[in-house]
Amino acid sequence: MKNTKISRRSFLLGLAACSAAGVLTACSGSSEPASSASTAPEPPASSAASEVTAAPFLTVEDFPALDGSTACIPLMAQMLADTTGMDLEEAQSNISVSTTAYAWESFGLYNTDTKMLVVYEAPDSVKEELEAANVQLEQKPIGVDALVFIVNEDNPVTDLTQQQLRDIYAGKITNWKDVGGQDLDIVAFQRRSDSGSQTLFQKLLIQGGELMDPPTELAPTAMGELVDSLAAYNNSANAIGFSVYYYIDQMYSQPGLRLLSVDGVMPSNDTLADGSYPLCNDFYAVIRPDAAADSPERQLYDWLDTEAGQACIKKAGYVPAGSAAANG
């Protein structure tokens, strides 16, 4: 097979030895920290589509080299298993990614072996870089994820409005007592500007508004580091941070943390599917426009729109794109 990859489990554990800046190291350049990962959820029993049996149509050797976002690793593994007949556990051991920003940048600007991305939205800086280079890529939404907010389970606040969250991250609300909590200073974690979750945070919540410039210790490099920092922070009942739903739900969680509802709606597969959770955004499959009709990447790209492809997305625990419209 063309991809030289590591498993989601090894990915999260083995990266303790990798530098966060080592984008092209043997650990595929990801900056995720070592820690225990939660197991992938079982397929939803109520979904008839998830019971569709995929007929393999690619050989393991022909399966296209993928890159993309960390939170998409379980889906990539399911795609590999369903389209080649590989055992899912083995497929998980053959998937790795770099980072959202680097995946877009390297795929668009450099002559890499990658043939397809399964990826979250690119940061504005990378979009501008691709536009300046007149890079043309073919992409389509394949699933829905969401920006979610995380607090310590000892924090009595269970829900915040979008405006309250904006005011917290603008430095206008600085004490939990102002939003129904304890008399404690709010410690608000962010991510670095080139991360996928920070991109969603800026797009979905901040929307060009005011934003505090956090000190380095409150802007971890990796998504897992943010979760770890929230769990370990001194007086952690006053910390808040964010991630994407599927990363927290499927791949990486820590005891003592819980999700907040936003505008009265808790994030879940159901609320992502019906569009009631307010901070949702698509993620994408991306190929080069000149990919031939019979190329493995074009076949895989087109397959994601079929009944079997949609079943694969659901089987991996994700909500296919367009679910809100279908349910509306």
Side-chain angles (χ1 to χ4, degrees), residues 20-210:
V23 174
L24 292 176
T25 66
C27 288
S28 296
S30 171
S31 55
E32 293 300 313
S35 190
S36 59
S38 59
T39 57
E42 295 182 0
S46 61
S47 173
S50 68
E51 298 172 4
V52 173
T53 301
F57 59 92
L58 293 172
T59 66
V60 171
E61 291 74 23
D62 284 340
F63 188 83
L66 305 179
D67 197 4
S69 300
T70 304
C72 295
I73 289 176
L75 175 55
M76 295 183 202
Q78 193 69 60
M79 290 164 59
L80 173 58
D82 284 3
T83 59
T84 67
M86 182 184 288
D87 178 77
L88 180 58
E89 185 173 350
E90 183 181 355
Q92 291 169 346
S93 73
N94 281 276
I95 294 295
S96 71
V97 298
S98 53
T99 65
T100 298
Y102 183 76
W104 280 102
E105 186 177 42
S106 62
F107 189 63
L109 297 176
Y110 306 115
N111 185 23
T112 68
D113 291 334
T114 300
K115 300 298 184 183
M116 179 174 172
L117 303 182
V118 182
V119 69
Y120 284 72
E121 190 162 341
D124 286 344
S125 59
V126 175
K127 289 180 182 178
E128 292 167 3
E129 192 175 8
L130 295 176
E131 184 177 358
N134 197 30
V135 172
Q136 302 296 317
L137 297 174
E138 183 174 345
Q139 69 182 69
K140 63 184 177 184
I142 59 170
V144 181
D145 204 344
L147 179 72
V148 296
F149 289 84
I150 314 157
V151 295
N152 186 273
E153 62 183 7
D154 293 331
N155 190 326
V157 175
T158 59
D159 176 80
L160 290 171
T161 67
Q162 292 182 70
Q163 189 58 54
Q164 286 172 327
L165 287 165
R166 291 187 195 101
D167 288 345
I168 286 171
Y169 278 95
K172 296 177 180 178
I173 295 177
T174 59
N175 195 298
W176 283 107
K177 69 180 180 181
D178 296 327
V179 289
Q182 299 173 326
D183 186 6
L184 292 171
D185 290 338
I186 296 174
V187 178
F189 284 81
Q190 297 184 43
R191 291 287 311 285
R192 291 192 343 181
S193 60
D194 61 352
S195 76
S197 56
Q198 187 77 12
T199 297
L200 291 187
F201 171 72
Q202 293 267 19
K203 174 187 175 180
L204 300 177
L205 184 73
I206 303 305
Q207 300 176 347
E210 295 180 58

Side-chain angles (χ1 to χ4, degrees), residues 6-18:
I6 57 177
S7 69
R8 178 179 66 190
R9 182 170 53 255
S10 299
F11 176 71
L12 291 170
L13 292 174
L15 284 167
C18 292

